[in-house]
Amino acid sequence: FRFKDSLDEELRRADLVISHAGAGSCLETLEKGKPLIVVINEKLMNNHQLELAKRLHRGGHVFYCNCSTLVETLQSMDLSTLKPFPPGQPEKFALFLDKVVGFQ
């Protein structure tokens, strides 16, 4: 499909997700506890996708590659080595923001 309002149902049914390295796509997949391979778009300005992918990989949460190394990554990956992504803590962020803005 070219466009869909939500990928929630597909993500819930997936055994493995292969995605670009957009922050929203990565976080939505990881929050659902799905194994993730992020494919870097190296043509983007400043290659910010690589920075995010490397950080998530260092934490043990994803595998990453580019288009030319995707098949190799699929053949060599071990999904059992991936670590669950920790849940967000919006209440801590709200407290931090209150302090910064001066509400506390």
Side-chain angles (χ1 to χ4, degrees), residues 15-17 29-30 33-38 53 56-64 73 77-86:
D15 294 320
L16 171 68
V17 175
T29 301
L30 292 171
K34 300 298 179 170
L36 175 62
I37 299 175
V38 290
L56 291 171
H57 179 74
R58 274 196 308 269
H61 307 296
V62 305
F63 294 106
Y64 74 96
T73 301
M77 69 182 184
D78 178 358
L79 294 179
S80 70
T81 63
L82 292 177
K83 298 176 185 173
F85 191 72

Side-chain angles (χ1 to χ4, degrees), residues 1-32:
F1 45 83
R2 290 177 52 79
F3 178 78
K4 193 168 183 181
D5 288 334
S6 172
L7 295 176
D8 189 61
E9 180 62 31
E10 286 76 14
L11 288 173
R12 274 191 268 128
R13 291 189 321 216
D15 294 320
L16 171 68
V17 175
I18 300 173
S19 174
H20 73 133
S25 299
C26 290
L27 293 176
E28 186 175 4
T29 301
L30 292 171
E31 286 171 351
K32 290 191 174 26

